[in-house]
Amino acid sequence: MHILTGMNLKEIESITDRLHQSKFRARQIHNWIYLKSAKSIDDMTDLSKDFREELKKVAKVSEVKIKVKQESSDGTLKYLLEYPDGECVETVLMRFDNRANLTACVSSQVGCAVNCSFCATAKRGFIRNLNYKEIIEQVLTIQRDTGLKVTNVVFMGQGEPLLNLDNVVRAMEIFNESFQIGQRRLTVSTSGIIPGINRLAELNMQSTLALSLHAPNHDLRKKLMPIEGKYNLNDLKIALKNYVDKTGRRITIEYLLIEDLNDTVECAKQLANYLKDLKCNINLIPYNPVEYNDYKRPSNNSIMKFKCLLEHSGKKVTVRLERGVDIDAACGQLKGKVCKNIKL
Ligand code: SAH
Ligand code: SF4
């Protein structure tokens, strides 16, 4: 049985060829999947009934189930999806007032091996990579369920995308070619996996690279993110500059703000200094509470003070809008709580 989700036009043509149908039929099926978000082959109403029956014998649209769907008071939707092997991941749809953008936040792995101290996903450890079809299923599920077309995709759900780069790049190609989402509307966020950053630079994609920096010096970063022991700030800087040189793209620096830990005046100065010769914007992410640690979110005053200090260095600084905190859908809160062996 073929699963149509994740197939490109050529692959769909190989099915229609075998059923002695024209390439035009393949194009229709392709558009039903990616642009019109068909839930089943029966939805593809411009195919003849006979052909749909033939197609149903050899193919189906998807194998993913929505296990739980939650809606936040701010309109954010969070889905817990289950793949055929019983593993689950979360995916989030964010809508921002006054903007036409619909942003899907997708997971790239079940769990994560990077083990950052502030992140709920880390607590599950690493379970497995998602393949590219499983990644794009997340966006299709959102589209099918809401009837809306996703306009932006961020790889900021569970997992470290640059430790699953082949599948992530393939998924990005499909978002671009089949979903017709521009490369600039695709963002990959990484904890700083240098070989992955270098590979992305070589591919010269026009997507956005977001780097989770979170601390401006080695000791503090190592405390928050053990990956600093392997890929440290000095080496990261070289990789980031190379990325900018090769792609011409401005990097987004993500900086988590935790009260009295990395939100001090001294940290702001060190951060400005670290970033001074890098083409980047800075996105401050106030810490979202998760169990297992006693970090605190700084007051709005300290957040604004930190922002002002950085702005003095001439960088564009934004504070990330908090979405979906009441349903644990905000940054760092995804852990795929309900998973196999646990009954709902
Ligand atoms: N693994 C990738 C992408 C997923 S996390 C990465 O780490 O970049 C997306 C963003 O949420 C990262 O910047 C991550 O550091 C941040 N994050 C993790 N836990 C958080 C928390 N408790 N509060 C706010 N942001 C958090
Ligand atoms: Fe993994 Fe990102 Fe969470 Fe770190 S913040 S544990 S890299 S998902």
Side-chain angles (χ1 to χ4, degrees):
M1 183 64 70
H2 297 285
I3 305 300
L4 294 171
T5 294
M7 288 191 163
N8 61 25
L9 191 56
K10 271 220 146 58
E11 289 163 331
I12 298 176
E13 278 172 7
S14 74
I15 299 179
T16 48
D17 283 352
R18 253 175 283 137
L19 297 174
H20 310 294
Q21 296 283 334
S22 67
K23 296 213 182 319
F24 177 68
R25 297 278 168 254
R27 166 65 68 186
Q28 285 176 303
I29 296 169
H30 175 274
N31 290 353
W32 274 111
I33 296 290
Y34 296 106
L35 304 177
K36 301 199 267 183
S37 307
K39 288 186 178 146
S40 68
I41 290 172
D42 281 328
D43 282 350
M44 304 180 183
T45 45
D46 54 3
L47 305 179
S48 75
K49 195 141 193 302
D50 288 349
F51 175 42
R52 273 184 271 156
E53 291 307 318
E54 286 306 302
L55 190 58
K56 269 161 44 184
K57 287 183 196 150
V58 294
K60 61 179 178 181
V61 169
S62 158
E63 281 190 313
V64 167
K65 281 195 229 130
I66 298 177
K67 251 193 139 175
V68 183
K69 174 183 170 186
Q70 287 170 282
E71 179 156 9
S72 158
S73 52
D74 64 24
T76 301
L77 293 175
K78 181 169 89 168
Y79 296 88
L80 182 76
L81 304 184
E82 186 185 31
Y83 296 111
D85 70 348
E87 291 298 350
C88 296
V89 294
E90 282 153 312
T91 189
V92 176
L93 177 70
M94 295 170 285
R95 315 176 226 207
F96 297 97
D97 294 340
N98 311 322
R99 289 193 224 166
N101 290 356
L102 280 178
T103 302
C105 174
V106 299
S107 297
S108 54
Q109 298 180 316
V110 185
C112 182
V114 179
N115 204 17
C116 304
S117 65
F118 43 77
C119 173
T121 304
K123 303 305 162 207
R124 272 189 87 182
F126 173 70
I127 296 168
R128 70 169 175 85
N129 280 332
L130 295 180
N131 65 41
Y132 68 92
K133 295 189 180 191
E134 292 173 322
I135 295 172
I136 69 166
E137 277 279 15
Q138 297 171 48
V139 176
L140 280 177
T141 304
I142 290 174
Q143 294 194 163
R144 284 183 208 125
D145 186 63
T146 59
L148 300 168
K149 180 83 177 61
V150 165
T151 59
N152 297 58
V153 178
V154 296
F155 286 83
M156 294 189 187
Q158 286 157 259
E160 169 47 60
L162 298 195
L163 290 178
N164 185 17
L165 194 52
D166 288 340
N167 283 304
V168 166
V169 168
R170 186 80 206 275
M172 284 164 75
E173 284 164 0
I174 298 176
F175 287 138
N176 189 223
E177 287 157 19
S178 295
F179 289 72
Q180 298 173 7
I181 300 176
Q183 284 191 8
R184 285 168 187 248
R185 291 174 175 269
L186 304 173
T187 299
V188 178
S189 174
T190 178
S191 56
I193 309 297
I194 291 177
I197 296 174
N198 292 340
R199 255 193 75 200
L200 276 183
E202 290 307 321
L203 289 172
N204 196 5
M205 292 179 81
Q206 286 302 297
S207 49
T208 302
L209 180 67
L211 190 275
S212 296
L213 198 66
H214 303 338
N217 63 64
H218 179 73
D219 290 347
L220 184 54
R221 191 164 193 266
K222 201 161 169 210
K223 216 169 117 189
L224 295 174
M225 306 176 73
I227 194 80
E228 170 73 13
K230 189 161 184 195
Y231 302 120
N232 66 43
L233 283 173
N234 289 338
D235 295 340
L236 254 184
K237 180 78 163 288
I238 296 167
L240 294 176
K241 284 180 121 176
N242 172 55
Y243 182 90
V244 173
D245 285 348
K246 290 254 161 67
T247 63
R249 299 281 291 148
R250 190 178 294 277
I251 289 174
T252 299
I253 297 293
E254 299 169 281
Y255 191 93
L256 186 66
L257 280 173
I258 305 174
E259 188 178 72
D260 294 336
L261 202 73
N262 65 356
D263 67 341
T264 60
V265 173
E266 187 51 34
C267 279
K269 283 187 188 155
Q270 288 180 10
L271 180 59
N273 190 45
Y274 180 78
L275 297 176
K276 68 175 187 290
D277 46 0
L278 188 70
K279 188 173 156 190
C280 65
N281 295 325
I282 303 167
N283 191 213
L284 299 174
I285 316 175
Y287 170 72
N288 292 313
V290 298
E291 295 164 51
Y292 326 105
N293 66 45
D294 22 86
Y295 295 148
K296 287 199 179 61
R297 183 188 186 91
S299 68
N300 283 349
N301 252 349
S302 342
I303 295 171
M304 284 309 138
K305 193 167 147 198
F306 197 88
K307 179 172 186 263
C308 282
L309 282 167
L310 281 179
E311 276 168 343
H312 276 299
S313 71
K315 297 278 190 240
K316 185 173 164 224
V317 188
T318 47
V319 178
R320 184 169 295 178
L321 277 178
E322 184 182 69
R323 308 311 284 177
V325 179
D326 53 344
I327 54 166
D328 280 352
C331 297
Q333 295 185 315
L334 302 183
K335 56 189 165 194
K337 244 183 223 160
V338 189
C339 48
K340 69 175 166 191
N341 306 330
I342 300 178
K343 276 220 173 79
L344 281 172

